[in-house]
């Protein structure tokens, strides 16, 4: 599977055009969105929830989207793209996605698995015992970093990039 994973858009449109370009150039099959779609970031001049909604709608046939903790006003029935109602979605035999506020590297019980999440706005890849924990960071606003980030999955390789294409962290399953 080749996929781009983004999280914590918070209604900010600024980097979504780069994601669309990367999705095409990397020949991705899926866009995975880990929640916090529209909740307003008062400090951003690029807040445009209608643009974000249209961007996500353009991926309707290839999107896997879940709700985040700030998506309490998002009703999946009213959105023009599919949103999972589950808090955790199983992508493959051992890869799971979630927003990160409920399940993360400190609260996960499925052994020998990979958990991909956002929520913290801080990207990392951590191997803890037999599990791999991947936080995509935020495509809009980071904590502790200057640049927004996203995750690229290429079969057994996971690479976190910043918006300027610099590798932040990577992990390859052997």
């Amino acid at each position: 599977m080749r996929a781009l994973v983004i999280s914590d858009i918070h209604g900010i449109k600024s980097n979504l055009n780069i994601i669309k370009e990367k999705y095409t150039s990397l020949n991705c099959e899926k866009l995975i969105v880990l929640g916090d779609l529209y909740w307003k970031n008062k400090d951003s001049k690029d807040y445009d929830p209608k643009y974000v909604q249209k961007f996500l709608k353009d991926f309707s046939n290839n999107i896997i989207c879940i709700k985040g903790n700030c998506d309490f006003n998002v009703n999946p029935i009213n959105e023009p793209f599919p949103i999972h109602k589950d808090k955790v979605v199983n992508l493959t035999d051992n890869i799971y996605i979630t927003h990160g506020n409920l399940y993360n590297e400190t609260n996960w019980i499925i052994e020998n698995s990979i958990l991909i999440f956002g929520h913290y706005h801080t990207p990392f890849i951590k191997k803890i015992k037999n599990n791999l924990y991947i936080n995509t960071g935020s495509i809009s606003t980071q904590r502790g970093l200057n640049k927004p980030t996203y995750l690229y999955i290429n079969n057994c390789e996971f690479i976190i990039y910043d918006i300027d294409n610099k590798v932040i962290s990577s992990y390859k399953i052997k």
Side-chain angles (χ1 to χ4, degrees), residues 102-157:
L102 297 176
Y103 304 103
N104 51 57
E105 79 279 13
T106 63
N107 186 23
W108 185 245
I109 60 170
I110 300 176
E111 290 296 319
N112 301 310
S113 66
I114 298 168
L115 183 65
I116 301 171
F117 55 99
H119 181 64
Y120 295 118
H121 298 231
T122 305
F124 61 78
I125 298 176
K126 292 180 183 176
K127 180 87 171 161
I128 302 174
K129 296 184 181 177
N130 294 326
N131 290 346
L132 186 64
Y133 299 96
I134 302 173
N135 189 303
T136 63
S138 169
I139 193 59
S140 298
T141 58
Q142 291 294 31
R143 296 184 182 130
L145 287 178
N146 294 328
K147 309 260 183 201
T149 56
Y150 62 93
L151 173 68
Y152 173 56
I153 301 172
N154 186 7
N155 298 313
C156 297
E157 188 172 20

Side-chain angles (χ1 to χ4, degrees), residues 4 8 18 42 50 97 106 114 137 143 157 167:
L4 283 186
D8 298 277
I18 294 170
K42 297 174 185 171
K50 293 287 185 201
I97 61 171
T106 63
I114 298 168
R143 296 184 182 130
E157 188 172 20
V167 173

